[in-house]
């Protein structure tokens, strides 16, 4: 068997697809969690204890993102979406664990950000969710209710429920092709998606720099830098 050229497709991306755009990954050598302690910066408890440091961490990552550009891997996925939808080859769902906006800036029309989005914040007082490029602090008033002290990054922290899981599991249950790109397969529930896709009978493909934690579950595996590997592999369609 090999990758079908028609049918329902689910794609999962991780930090590796944005690595060559200059955004750090988490667990590679020199990665973000080597430099920063996720327990002090990426949990609800950390935010409650020290909102100033957490806001500063995400403000710095937002500044990095604003200076970054999408790469050929992001653009290749946008072209695949155009083809898949344009020729009505089947359903197409792009799920990313990344909080950057490089998929959208690279031309993808629909992106499901299961770990949230760095360019958005929300108010704990009134629930207002809004996009912004400027820095936010514990003193920044909410643009809707005007109260200060309630804003938090619209990012899913460890211990919080990822977004869009109903949509994702419904798509996995009926998918014919599952492609994981640039993810280490260490964080659940995303790391479990390949098993769900296999159970649905999908052909599963891993495209990354090196084998991830659940590599042995994939039917097909290719390794190399995403900016070459992804356009090359997607070029078959
Ligand atoms: N091209 C392709 N893949 C790459 C490249 C590259 N240039 N550089 C690194 N990679 C691969 C690595 O081999 C690794 O498998 O990208 C993956 C990065 O793994 P992680 O740093 O663990 O990132 P990710 O899998 O996205 O982490 C998942 O963990 O901390 C949480 O919420 C955070 O969304 C993140 C989640």
């Amino acid at each position: 068997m090999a990758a079908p050229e028609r049918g329902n497709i689910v794609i999962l991306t991780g930090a590796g697809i944005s690595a060559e755009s200059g955004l750090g990954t988490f667990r590679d050598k020199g990665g973000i969690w080597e430099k920063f302690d996720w327990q002090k910066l990426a949990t609800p408890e950390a935010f409650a204890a020290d909102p100033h440091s957490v806001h500063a961490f995400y403000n710095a990552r937002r500044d990095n993102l604003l200076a970054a550009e999408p790469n050929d891997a992001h653009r290749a996925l946008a072209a695949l979406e155009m083809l898949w939808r344009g020729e009505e080859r089947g359903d197409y769902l792009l799920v990313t664990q990344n909080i950057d906006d490089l998929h959208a800036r690279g031309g993808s029309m629909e992106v499901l950000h299961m770990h949230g989005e760095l360019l958005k914040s929300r108010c704990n007082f009134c629930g207002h969710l809004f996009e912004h490029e400027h820095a936010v602090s514990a003193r920044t008033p909410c643009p809707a209710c005007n109260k200060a002290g309630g804003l938090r990054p619209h990012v899913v922290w460890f211990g919080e429920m990822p977004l869009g899981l109903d949509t994702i599991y419904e798509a996995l249950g009926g998918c014919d092709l599952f492609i994981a790109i640039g993810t280490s397969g260490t964080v659940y529930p995303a790391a479990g998606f390949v098993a769900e896709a296999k159970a649905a009978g999908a052909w599963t493909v891993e495209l990354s720099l090196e084998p991830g934690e659940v590599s042995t579950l994939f039917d097909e595996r290719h390794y190399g830098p995403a900016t070459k590997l992804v356009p090359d592999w997607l070029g078959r369609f």
Side-chain angles (χ1 to χ4, degrees), residues 13 31-32 40 42 53 59 68 85 101-103 105 119 122 138 151-152 159 162 188 200 209 213 234:
T13 62
I32 293 172
K40 292 205 173 69
S53 299
N59 288 337
R85 293 192 198 284
D101 65 337
L102 297 182
H103 280 303
R105 281 202 268 147
L119 295 181
R122 64 177 192 261
L151 296 186
R152 63 161 281 177
Y188 287 80
L209 195 62
E213 302 272 307
L234 295 184

Side-chain angles (χ1 to χ4, degrees), residues 13-20 24-28 31-33 38 61 96-99 115 155-156 158 181-187 190 206-213 224-227 229-230:
T13 62
I17 199 168
S18 298
E20 290 161 90
T25 61
F26 293 95
R27 294 170 186 84
D28 290 311
I32 293 172
W33 297 144
W38 63 267
R61 288 180 65 192
T96 186
Q97 299 171 91
N98 302 339
I99 59 176
H115 289 167
V155 169
V156 177
F158 289 97
I181 301 173
T183 179
S184 61
T186 46
V187 175
E206 179 179 51
L207 303 178
S208 195
L209 195 62
E210 58 201 12
E213 302 272 307
T227 53
L229 188 66
V230 175

